[in-house]
Amino acid sequence: MRHSAQPNPPAPPFNAPAARRLRAALGMGPEHVAYGMRASYGLPYVTPDLVIAWERGTVAPGNPELTALAGVLWCSPGELIGRPRTLREHRIARAVAAEDIAHAVGMELRAYLEAEESGQWRGNERQSAALARILELALPDFVAVTGREAKLADLLHSAVTTRWQAYVRPVMKLAPLDKEVVEQVLQELHQDYQGHMAATLSWGGGSRNASESGQQFLDGIVDNFWTAVEGRTG
């Protein structure tokens, strides 16, 4: 059964424990939250049972419900969602309208909404800088929401398995960092991965655990990259 009158874009990940904690801090019961959402936000289907289901994580509120819930709990929508993963989720977390983003970056609204839908950002350097500023995006988040993370993962995979020096400039095009930082990080990742492979090849083929460790390193290559970058720039 659908609760919303009209279809809406996918909602961001909901932080159920935060919703429960905020409600309790206000001394409100689920019935108070439900009443506030019905009376003040025009959501007649919201019941105490639905609020409890949200807080238990069995169902998640949609975008209009999330906005209304934040209003009733006197918090920002960003306090009720998990770590944003997409451009739309970052925008909702900052409680910024799509129209405002489009205006701030100098882009037609339709073009901006297409970027949210496709996960591919096609803005120029000035527009990208404006997007990062208005959404307060850290560099890892900017790379992810603009659809560059998969390409970065491919480059890093090649860098650690072949000659890392050849991938310094390509990585810098995706993640604008100082050349020295990129060189140091790629060299470190290359050495770490080669260490895993050396363990795999030693002693007549190495252990299964060593081989799995190498694959796990590759699976988490983007996270490993940003962790190493933070260690040099944080």
Side-chain angles (χ1 to χ4, degrees):
M1 176 179 178
R2 293 182 62 86
H3 291 296
S4 300
Q6 297 179 347
N8 292 288
F14 182 61
N15 190 335
R20 185 167 57 250
R21 182 178 65 254
L22 288 165
R23 175 180 61 75
L26 292 172
M28 300 172 68
E31 67 278 9
H32 301 127
V33 174
Y35 175 79
M37 294 180 70
R38 292 195 304 269
S40 300
Y41 293 91
L43 300 177
Y45 54 82
V46 177
T47 63
D49 286 342
L50 181 56
V51 173
I52 292 172
W54 289 339
E55 293 184 354
R56 289 177 176 172
T58 55
V59 295
N63 287 321
E65 297 156 347
L66 184 67
T67 300
L69 182 61
V72 171
L73 295 179
W74 292 86
C75 67
S76 70
E79 294 177 75
L80 293 176
I81 68 176
R83 178 178 173 81
R85 299 163 299 184
T86 66
L87 183 55
R88 177 182 288 120
E89 290 173 6
H90 277 278
R91 176 175 61 77
I92 293 173
R94 296 295 177 187
V96 183
E99 293 84 353
D100 294 335
I101 296 285
H103 177 74
V105 303
M107 181 179 288
E108 293 290 334
L109 176 59
R110 183 172 64 178
Y112 172 76
L113 291 175
E114 286 177 355
E116 283 197 353
E117 290 293 334
S118 67
Q120 295 295 319
W121 175 254
R122 305 188 187 283
N124 57 34
E125 185 175 347
R126 182 190 63 78
Q127 291 171 323
S128 297
L131 180 73
R133 182 174 62 254
I134 193 170
L135 293 181
E136 301 179 31
L137 296 173
L139 184 55
D141 293 326
F142 176 76
V143 170
V145 304
T146 54
R148 304 177 184 183
E149 192 169 75
K151 178 63 175 177
L152 177 61
D154 289 341
L155 291 175
L156 295 175
H157 186 285
S158 297
V160 301
T161 56
T162 58
R163 293 183 65 255
W164 64 265
Q165 294 90 339
Y167 294 91
V168 173
R169 290 190 181 279
V171 168
M172 289 174 61
K173 288 183 178 180
L174 294 181
L177 294 160
D178 289 341
K179 182 180 180 182
E180 183 178 357
V181 171
V182 175
E183 288 176 338
Q184 292 175 351
V185 169
L186 292 187
Q187 183 177 21
E188 176 186 325
L189 295 178
H190 182 271
Q191 291 173 344
D192 287 348
Y193 177 72
Q194 295 304 318
H196 287 294
M197 290 300 95
T200 302
L201 296 173
S202 65
W203 299 100
S207 68
R208 179 180 178 182
N209 287 340
S211 178
E212 290 178 349
S213 177
Q215 185 58 51
Q216 289 173 358
F217 183 85
L218 290 178
D219 291 343
I221 192 66
V222 173
D223 288 338
N224 293 333
F225 173 77
W226 291 123
T227 298
V229 168
E230 184 177 0
R232 286 168 172 76
T233 61

